[in-house]
Amino acid sequence: MPQDIYDKIMMLAKRRGFVFPSFEIYGGVAGFYDYGPLGSQLKLNIENLWRKIFLLKDNCIEICTPTITLHEVLKASGHVDEFTDLTVDCKKCKQSYKVEDIVDNISAEEAVKKGKIKCPNCGANLKDAYPVNLMFSTRIGIGSARDAFLRPETAQGIFTDFHLLYRYAREKLPFGVIQVGRGYRNEVSPRQGTIRLREFSMAEAEIFFDPKDKTHPNFKSVKDKELYLFDNKKKMKLSVEKAVKNKVINNQALAYYMYLTQEFLMTAGVDPKKFRFRKHGDDELAHYATECWDAELFSERFGWTECVGIADRSAYDLQSHIDSSGTDMYALRKYDEPKEVKVKKIVVDMGKLGPLFKDKAGEIKSILENMGPTINKKSDIELTFLRQKITIPKNCYEIVESTEKEFGEKFVPHVIEPSFGIDRILYCLLEHNYHEGKKKGEEYRILKFNPLIAPIKVGILPLISDEKLLKIAYMIDENLRNAGIKTYYDDGGSIGRRYARMDEVGTPFCITVDHDTIKDNTVTIRDRDTTKQVRKNIDELKSCFEKLI
Amino acid sequence: MPQDIYDKIMMLAKRRGFVFPSFEIYGGVAGFYDYGPLGSQLKLNIENLWRKIFLLKDNCIEICTPTITLHEVLKASGHVDEFTDLTVDCKKCKQSYKVEDIVDNISAEEAVKKGKIKCPNCGANLKDAYPVNLMFSTRIGIGSARDAFLRPETAQGIFTDFHLLYRYAREKLPFGVIQVGRGYRNEVSPRQGTIRLREFSMAEAEIFFDPKDKTHPNFKSVKDKELYLFDNKKKMKLSVEKAVKNKVINNQALAYYMYLTQEFLMTAGVDPKKFRFRKHGDDELAHYATECWDAELFSERFGWTECVGIADRSAYDLQSHIDSSGTDMYALRKYDEPKEVKVKKIVVDMGKLGPLFKDKAGEIKSILENMGPTINKKSDIELTFLRQKITIPKNCYEIVESTEKEFGEKFVPHVIEPSFGIDRILYCLLEHNYHEGKKKGEEYRILKFNPLIAPIKVGILPLISDEKLLKIAYMIDENLRNAGIKTYYDDGGSIGRRYARMDEVGTPFCITVDHDTIKDNTVTIRDRDTTKQVRKNIDELKSCFEKLI
């Protein structure tokens, strides 16, 4: 069978230590991959480049929250009810399928309605599709254990801390919060290699805006840059500013983060011809989004592949957590002068509420107090609390009106979210940077990684196995590593083979130590892409590579 | 109630954005914490320093494997059977306890035997202690789902890839493999704040040795350094070399990694007076270890606290995975000349094995072939395969003797494992670097972090709110961030308050922009610990801080 580029890359990836199938010695499981020594460095470099742009350049703050997430959080966010795939089981051969994977051209819902799906395995007719939740579930503790899931996105950890982060940001909008880490999705039957993982690495940014002002302070600096857009009909290149003006993109904030995303991907080494932003149709928007653009990268095996989603999540998540938890997660639009306003408040009678709800009474009290402005008439109140419907009898509270000073208008911030799938970007970078040909009749492969993301920066190769040369080479290796530069020392085989080994894993530079080195303290630096060589003094190497990388 | 240092630090940590209790808006759960903007940077800096020592200086390779781990892996490693805590439930008040937590002075086993444990909550007599497995469990897929756990350690991901990593290391020992990431432990009832987490960050190194040669190539460079040791009776300072010579530490490899650990902790900013290595008694060794030293840090609240464990895991894990999976995970000790040897081999008759075991026959075949040398007489073979006992009838195979060339002796490498609990180290660094006093009658707190790990490196403070100064300050801020230096821009409040805010979160340097800046392009740099100020030209700032940090 002829190999496509995916096969070639996965073979190289396994042979040279980029990617291994997980648990292979126990038969493996679809949807899990290990990053080997080179893959792990490549991933780290991609994440560090991402942080450089979002944490340092864009000045976001970063947080780090658990992957295990309480049921309550994901119930409020809508994931318990909405994060599902329509699934069918084959009664004959016992396979399960995601409907979307086995029907073509028509929507999954339609296919199910028509009842004309056949089992790709045994050909039997498939019926009774049902939604399957895609979260991995687990339980915390024993006995009175609490239900939990592995997070489907890092974002919820940011939303549930919003009130603390808003204080950290000194109550000024906009501000951005990032998180880099694992996400999980218990796919029914993943069959796309490293593209559809059950456990993956993501980098997400949640930028909080006043919904009345979705401008961005740095917009000016990017307004003339061109975006590569695709509106599901035609491709177009538009300046950031024009895209907003012509309403192709809804607001400055969204357009600004789209440009930042494009800049990140281009710097990482994506082929511009294999890059586009595609706008979501109304029927494909996630349950929390009002507008969404995908940064898609083209893969020869997988076609246009979503690698980043940039969504306007509006007030959806914060509002949900306010409603479910009763926590004050509002932002304040300050008035120039404080206003006097009449407010309705619920004053809880703990003498009555306490005996009814015992240790839960305190939490219920604060939920009730938060409901203050929405209650007009005194009557029994129905609430959902810890997933149970409860009724608060009307004798448990009073509605009190009073006059208070108001310093500003409370509102729920909107969120713009660029969400990056690191593993998919990593795979596409392998594909976009892979070059092959023949050299002296042999297969020759080069990964033309940007030095910034190359897993090994410098190969160190003593020309021949002479003790004196080895000693110098080893010293150079040690010095560069101590200066924070990832090297690879190799004294085995012909120099041509060693260059080839370094080219194949994308090492941008090689140092050769030869007999002249002993005489004049210089070495050869070879450039991977041009194969040109220059001589440099050993003492200049550190500063030379710091500049090059 | 008077506050101890833990209370003070946790208050500061929450107020200033180091650590927040997770899911607090839904009532929280013990054993989970979020790192806020400063905590997350601090953690990242600790991990980067660790990588600098293990990945770059010690030249280990890094890999990155899933947190979800197949049942088969953790069954083989012993965690399914051995990773347990002895637990009792109170029949009266329904609380569960880890026995160790509620008995003093005597061992948990003894307490249970005597049957004299009382419920700390309601006083009832507790009986019938039973072991509870400490892993979080989940399932992969639906229908024919597979059992899995969240990994209790990152190490197993390394062991199960050993054969691939050994090839990557070009079949030379010793070599080290590291992994940094989450680990999980479903504690029965964690009650020690950030010290006993259910989800934590770990950094582990597995260094593979030939068991006949536990020397280390870099041993010479550290042999005269002093180690802080405690053998459960007395403290002692011994040179690395002496500790090995006197058999206080079993071998060079173990001693070398103990020193590397000590160097890492000291550089990170641990107080040397609150540091020691304590040797495990035979009764406290983990199921996989033959010798173990804990690096313990002293905490005023928690006493001597295990933050790093440096264990000799011998051949335990690799041997277990060879036995369970049938994979060849041996290393080769090469002969100078190949030898002719007689070997016994099992030759499987697939015509008979195939129909019996269908799609599993291939895997069973390779397990049988691996057993070759251990089978002497032809008879039915009993195996455990995929957790079921199976019998291979003797007519399914032949024992064949032949003469082969052997290029070396196969053996199972031994493993030295330094395993770091990042969260505990982070907490102890907060405690060891916390200083308090009064300044002008007000409480004054300083975190004297080493600049290497400080979450913010430079505070940028325009002296007054003059548009000209703000503009320069903002430009300096932007330039430093783009140079990779984490800054904090602050133009609110008196300069004294702003210095105090930076001192409290451990920022080592502050830049003040004042009216002289406009005249001569210089700014003031203030040192946190000495409060001394020097003037520097703006153009020198970048290189100046690159040197200082």
Side-chain angles (χ1 to χ4, degrees):
Chain A
M1 207 173 82
Q3 293 182 321
D4 75 354
I5 193 171
Y6 177 82
D7 292 326
K8 287 179 186 171
I9 282 173
M10 291 311 280
M11 270 179 60
L12 187 159
K14 184 162 183 201
R15 188 167 42 81
R16 296 305 310 271
F18 283 94
V19 181
F20 311 134
S22 301
F23 324 120
E24 208 185 18
I25 67 170
Y26 293 105
V29 193
F32 293 93
Y33 279 86
D34 295 350
Y35 288 108
L38 296 179
S40 160
Q41 287 307 297
L42 183 58
K43 177 166 166 280
L44 211 56
N45 293 341
I46 294 171
E47 289 169 352
N48 284 341
L49 175 64
W50 189 87
R51 274 201 180 90
K52 215 172 153 168
I53 291 181
F54 280 85
L55 186 68
L56 289 169
K57 185 178 166 167
D58 199 50
N59 212 7
C60 290
I61 55 187
E62 179 169 1
I63 72 167
C64 182
T65 67
T67 58
I68 295 179
T69 306
L70 269 195
H71 180 282
E72 286 83 343
V73 173
L74 295 158
K75 176 70 185 173
S77 71
H79 285 88
V80 170
D81 300 317
E82 312 267 356
F83 190 63
T84 56
D85 268 348
L86 207 56
T87 304
V88 275
D89 304 329
C90 178
K91 300 226 161 49
K92 202 170 146 203
C93 73
K94 310 290 175 205
Q95 298 267 16
S96 296
Y97 302 97
K98 178 172 163 182
V99 175
E100 225 172 67
D101 281 349
I102 56 171
V103 298
D104 284 328
N105 296 322
I106 47 169
S107 80
E109 279 79 7
E110 223 175 305
V112 172
K113 254 187 235 154
K114 288 189 180 161
K116 282 187 178 169
I117 332 174
K118 291 216 183 305
C119 176
N121 185 41
C122 74
N125 246 339
L126 298 178
K127 285 184 274 207
D128 304 326
Y130 59 100
V132 165
N133 193 285
L134 296 176
M135 293 191 289
F136 286 96
S137 65
T138 191
R139 310 199 76 196
I140 302 168
I142 58 163
S144 55
R146 295 185 73 172
D147 288 338
F149 300 99
L150 297 182
R151 64 181 177 200
E153 54 175 3
T154 69
Q156 296 304 325
I158 297 175
F159 298 138
T160 50
D161 281 341
F162 172 75
H163 52 307
L164 302 168
L165 299 167
Y166 182 54
R167 209 166 61 200
Y168 180 87
R170 301 167 82 172
E171 306 185 355
K172 277 180 205 151
L173 294 177
F175 73 95
V177 186
I178 64 171
Q179 185 159 201
V180 179
R182 302 288 172 96
Y184 303 81
R185 192 179 161 108
N186 197 2
E187 296 283 351
V188 173
S189 54
R191 290 176 302 170
Q192 290 168 282
T194 54
I195 292 296
R196 193 162 290 281
L197 294 179
R198 281 166 158 158
E199 176 170 346
F200 42 89
S201 288
M202 45 196 331
E204 299 194 296
E206 311 297 323
I207 301 104
F208 297 96
F209 284 88
D210 182 336
K212 288 195 176 162
D213 180 13
K214 288 191 184 173
T215 61
H216 192 283
N218 297 343
F219 186 75
K220 239 176 28 193
S221 66
V222 306
K223 71 182 178 50
D224 297 325
K225 308 278 186 181
E226 282 204 317
L227 289 169
Y228 295 65
L229 303 174
F230 176 70
D231 65 358
N232 291 305
K233 287 176 210 132
K234 60 179 191 308
K235 274 187 159 184
M236 48 190 155
K237 274 193 195 175
L238 270 184
S239 77
V240 178
E241 188 173 36
K242 245 188 206 150
V244 177
K245 205 179 263 172
N246 300 353
K247 286 283 168 201
V248 177
I249 300 170
N250 182 271
N251 58 63
Q252 273 198 13
L254 201 54
Y256 172 79
Y257 283 101
M258 284 170 68
Y259 178 72
L260 221 58
T261 298
Q262 181 174 306
E263 191 192 5
F264 161 72
L265 291 172
M266 296 300 165
T267 311
V270 155
D271 181 345
K273 291 192 291 296
K274 297 179 178 173
F275 167 83
R276 70 182 189 189
F277 282 114
R278 188 181 69 79
K279 192 173 186 165
H280 275 212
D282 288 340
D283 58 333
E284 54 177 327
L285 284 172
H287 65 273
Y288 48 72
T290 61
E291 177 169 345
C292 184
W293 288 84
D294 283 345
E296 296 186 329
L297 301 179
F298 188 76
S299 151
E300 284 182 36
R301 162 77 70 102
F302 303 107
W304 285 103
T305 304
E306 172 199 353
C307 291
V308 187
I310 306 162
D312 187 334
R313 293 178 82 135
S314 70
Y316 178 85
D317 298 275
L318 289 182
Q319 188 66 60
S320 305
H321 288 301
I322 291 172
D323 294 346
S324 304
S325 72
T327 308
D328 179 350
M329 296 179 115
Y330 297 94
L332 198 69
R333 204 179 288 124
K334 278 190 190 129
Y335 301 136
D336 297 332
E337 294 281 324
K339 280 185 193 171
E340 302 249 308
V341 285
K342 284 199 176 150
V343 286
K344 261 190 266 176
K345 271 195 177 168
I346 286 189
V347 176
V348 173
D349 182 346
M350 282 304 272
K352 298 218 169 74
L353 196 75
L356 280 177
F357 297 102
K358 308 223 164 61
D359 57 334
K360 307 282 183 256
E363 272 179 75
I364 292 171
K365 176 170 179 262
S366 62
I367 294 178
L368 287 172
E369 285 171 349
N370 252 299
M371 291 171 73
T374 67
I375 303 287
N376 284 312
K377 230 180 66 195
K378 214 180 153 195
S379 60
D380 293 357
I381 300 174
E382 301 237 318
L383 278 185
T384 306
F385 180 70
L386 296 178
R387 287 185 285 150
Q388 294 197 327
K389 283 226 179 299
I390 55 169
T391 304
I392 318 290
K394 62 181 167 188
N395 70 340
C396 287
Y397 70 96
E398 295 296 329
I399 298 176
V400 177
E401 275 201 63
S402 64
T403 306
E404 282 192 358
K405 260 194 187 165
E406 212 177 71
F407 296 90
E409 191 183 346
K410 274 175 150 191
F411 64 96
V412 183
H414 276 205
V415 176
I416 302 285
E417 174 197 77
S419 172
F420 293 69
I422 298 295
D423 313 273
R424 290 185 173 192
I425 293 169
L426 187 150
Y427 171 74
C428 290
L429 285 173
L430 282 166
E431 221 190 273
H432 292 194
N433 289 283
Y434 179 83
H435 298 263
E436 60 181 8
K438 300 236 178 219
K439 220 173 207 177
K440 297 182 188 160
E442 275 186 52
E443 294 273 359
Y444 205 91
R445 296 172 205 89
I446 307 187
L447 282 168
K448 295 197 173 174
F449 288 138
N450 180 334
L452 263 174
I453 67 147
I456 299 167
K457 311 299 185 191
V458 185
I460 294 165
L461 322 173
L463 189 64
I464 55 162
S465 208
D466 173 326
E467 200 53 49
K468 275 186 210 150
L469 300 190
L470 298 187
K471 216 170 155 187
I472 297 172
Y474 192 72
M475 184 206 66
I476 293 173
D477 180 33
E478 204 172 6
N479 287 344
L480 289 180
R481 280 191 280 113
N482 285 336
I485 295 165
K486 188 75 191 154
T487 60
Y488 186 83
Y489 175 92
D490 187 359
D491 59 17
S494 78
I495 191 74
R497 282 218 76 71
R498 282 183 276 162
Y499 281 147
R501 279 206 287 263
M502 288 288 96
D503 286 350
E504 194 179 46
V505 298
T507 306
F509 309 106
C510 284
I511 291 175
T512 318
V513 178
D514 56 27
H515 284 294
D516 289 344
T517 309
I518 299 169
K519 284 181 231 154
D520 62 5
N521 204 38
T522 65
V523 294
T524 298
I525 301 179
R526 170 185 177 271
D527 180 289
R528 175 195 63 207
D529 300 337
T530 63
T531 74
K532 275 195 188 136
Q533 309 196 0
V534 292
R535 280 201 90 82
K536 284 268 173 195
N537 195 293
I538 289 179
D539 305 331
E540 296 171 74
L541 289 175
K542 197 187 128 195
S543 63
C544 162
F545 286 118
E546 277 168 354
K547 239 175 264 161
L548 284 169
I549 295 160
Chain B
M1 206 173 83
Q3 293 183 321
D4 75 353
I5 193 170
Y6 177 82
D7 293 326
K8 286 179 187 172
I9 282 173
M10 291 311 280
M11 269 179 61
L12 187 159
K14 183 159 183 204
R15 188 166 42 82
R16 297 305 310 271
F18 282 94
V19 180
F20 311 134
S22 300
F23 324 120
E24 208 186 18
I25 67 170
Y26 293 105
V29 192
F32 293 93
Y33 280 86
D34 295 351
Y35 288 108
L38 296 180
S40 160
Q41 286 307 297
L42 182 59
K43 176 165 166 283
L44 210 56
N45 293 341
I46 294 171
E47 287 170 354
N48 284 342
L49 175 64
W50 190 85
R51 275 203 178 88
K52 215 172 153 167
I53 291 182
F54 280 85
L55 185 67
L56 290 168
K57 184 177 167 168
D58 200 50
N59 213 7
C60 291
I61 56 185
E62 178 169 1
I63 73 166
C64 181
T65 68
T67 57
I68 295 178
T69 306
L70 268 196
H71 180 282
E72 286 83 343
V73 174
L74 295 158
K75 176 70 185 173
S77 70
H79 286 88
V80 170
D81 300 317
E82 311 267 358
F83 191 62
T84 56
D85 268 348
L86 205 57
T87 304
V88 275
D89 305 328
C90 178
K91 299 225 161 49
K92 200 170 148 202
C93 74
K94 309 291 177 206
Q95 299 267 16
S96 297
Y97 302 96
K98 179 172 164 183
V99 175
E100 224 172 68
D101 281 349
I102 55 172
V103 297
D104 285 328
N105 295 323
I106 46 169
S107 80
E109 278 80 6
E110 220 175 306
V112 172
K113 254 186 235 155
K114 290 192 180 160
K116 280 187 179 170
I117 332 173
K118 291 216 181 308
C119 176
N121 185 41
C122 73
N125 245 338
L126 300 177
K127 286 185 272 206
D128 305 326
Y130 59 101
V132 165
N133 194 285
L134 296 177
M135 293 191 289
F136 285 96
S137 65
T138 191
R139 311 199 74 197
I140 302 168
I142 57 163
S144 55
R146 294 186 74 173
D147 288 337
F149 299 99
L150 297 183
R151 63 182 177 200
E153 54 175 3
T154 70
Q156 295 304 325
I158 297 173
F159 298 137
T160 51
D161 281 342
F162 173 75
H163 52 307
L164 302 167
L165 299 167
Y166 182 54
R167 208 165 64 200
Y168 181 87
R170 302 168 83 171
E171 306 184 355
K172 276 179 206 152
L173 294 177
F175 72 95
V177 186
I178 64 170
Q179 183 160 200
V180 180
R182 302 288 171 97
Y184 303 82
R185 190 180 162 108
N186 197 2
E187 296 283 351
V188 174
S189 54
R191 289 175 302 171
Q192 289 169 283
T194 54
I195 292 295
R196 193 162 289 282
L197 294 178
R198 282 167 157 156
E199 175 170 345
F200 42 89
S201 287
M202 42 195 334
E204 299 194 297
E206 311 297 324
I207 302 104
F208 298 96
F209 285 87
D210 182 337
K212 288 195 177 161
D213 180 13
K214 287 190 184 174
T215 60
H216 192 282
N218 297 344
F219 187 76
K220 236 173 34 189
S221 66
V222 307
K223 72 182 176 50
D224 297 324
K225 308 277 186 182
E226 282 204 315
L227 289 169
Y228 295 63
L229 304 174
F230 176 69
D231 65 357
N232 290 306
K233 285 176 212 131
K234 61 180 190 305
K235 275 187 158 183
M236 48 190 154
K237 274 193 195 177
L238 270 184
S239 78
V240 179
E241 190 173 37
K242 245 187 208 151
V244 177
K245 206 178 262 170
N246 300 355
K247 286 284 168 200
V248 177
I249 300 170
N250 183 270
N251 58 64
Q252 273 197 12
L254 201 55
Y256 171 78
Y257 284 100
M258 283 170 69
Y259 178 73
L260 223 57
T261 298
Q262 181 175 305
E263 190 192 5
F264 161 72
L265 291 172
M266 295 299 164
T267 311
V270 155
D271 181 346
K273 290 191 292 297
K274 297 179 178 173
F275 167 83
R276 70 182 190 190
F277 282 113
R278 189 181 68 79
K279 192 172 187 165
H280 275 212
D282 289 341
D283 57 333
E284 55 176 329
L285 283 172
H287 64 274
Y288 47 71
T290 61
E291 177 170 345
C292 185
W293 288 83
D294 283 344
E296 296 185 328
L297 300 179
F298 187 76
S299 151
E300 285 183 34
R301 163 76 72 103
F302 303 108
W304 285 103
T305 303
E306 172 199 354
C307 291
V308 187
I310 305 161
D312 187 335
R313 293 178 80 134
S314 71
Y316 178 85
D317 299 275
L318 290 182
Q319 189 64 60
S320 304
H321 289 300
I322 292 171
D323 295 344
S324 304
S325 73
T327 309
D328 179 350
M329 295 177 117
Y330 297 95
L332 198 71
R333 204 179 288 124
K334 279 189 188 128
Y335 300 137
D336 297 334
E337 295 280 326
K339 282 185 192 170
E340 301 249 310
V341 286
K342 285 201 174 147
V343 287
K344 263 191 265 176
K345 270 195 178 171
I346 287 189
V347 176
V348 173
D349 182 346
M350 282 303 272
K352 298 219 168 76
L353 196 73
L356 279 179
F357 297 102
K358 310 220 165 60
D359 57 334
K360 308 281 183 260
E363 272 178 76
I364 292 170
K365 177 171 179 264
S366 61
I367 293 177
L368 288 173
E369 285 171 350
N370 253 300
M371 291 172 71
T374 66
I375 303 285
N376 284 314
K377 229 182 63 196
K378 214 182 153 195
S379 61
D380 294 356
I381 299 175
E382 301 238 317
L383 276 184
T384 306
F385 180 70
L386 295 178
R387 285 184 286 151
Q388 295 195 328
K389 283 225 178 300
I390 55 170
T391 304
I392 318 290
K394 60 181 169 189
N395 69 342
C396 286
Y397 70 95
E398 295 295 330
I399 299 177
V400 176
E401 275 199 65
S402 65
T403 306
E404 283 193 357
K405 262 194 185 161
E406 212 178 67
F407 297 90
E409 190 184 348
K410 274 175 151 192
F411 64 96
V412 183
H414 277 204
V415 176
I416 302 283
E417 174 196 78
S419 173
F420 293 69
I422 299 295
D423 313 273
R424 289 184 176 193
I425 293 169
L426 187 149
Y427 171 75
C428 289
L429 284 173
L430 282 167
E431 222 191 271
H432 291 195
N433 288 282
Y434 179 84
H435 297 263
E436 60 181 8
K438 299 237 175 217
K439 219 174 207 178
K440 295 182 191 162
E442 274 186 53
E443 293 274 0
Y444 205 91
R445 297 172 203 88
I446 307 186
L447 282 167
K448 294 196 172 174
F449 287 138
N450 180 333
L452 264 174
I453 67 147
I456 300 167
K457 310 298 184 193
V458 185
I460 293 164
L461 322 173
L463 188 65
I464 55 162
S465 208
D466 173 326
E467 200 52 51
K468 275 185 208 151
L469 300 191
L470 298 187
K471 218 170 155 184
I472 298 172
Y474 192 73
M475 185 207 67
I476 293 173
D477 180 34
E478 205 171 5
N479 287 343
L480 288 180
R481 279 191 281 114
N482 285 336
I485 294 165
K486 188 75 190 154
T487 59
Y488 188 81
Y489 175 92
D490 187 359
D491 59 16
S494 79
I495 191 74
R497 282 217 76 69
R498 282 182 277 161
Y499 281 146
R501 279 205 287 263
M502 288 289 95
D503 285 349
E504 194 179 46
V505 298
T507 306
F509 308 105
C510 284
I511 290 176
T512 317
V513 178
D514 55 27
H515 283 294
D516 287 344
T517 309
I518 299 170
K519 283 180 230 154
D520 62 7
N521 205 40
T522 65
V523 293
T524 298
I525 301 179
R526 170 185 176 270
D527 180 289
R528 175 195 62 207
D529 300 337
T530 63
T531 74
K532 276 198 186 131
Q533 311 197 358
V534 292
R535 279 201 91 82
K536 282 270 173 195
N537 193 295
I538 289 178
D539 304 332
E540 296 170 75
L541 288 176
K542 199 187 125 193
S543 63
C544 161
F545 286 118
E546 277 167 354
K547 241 173 265 163
L548 284 169
I549 296 161

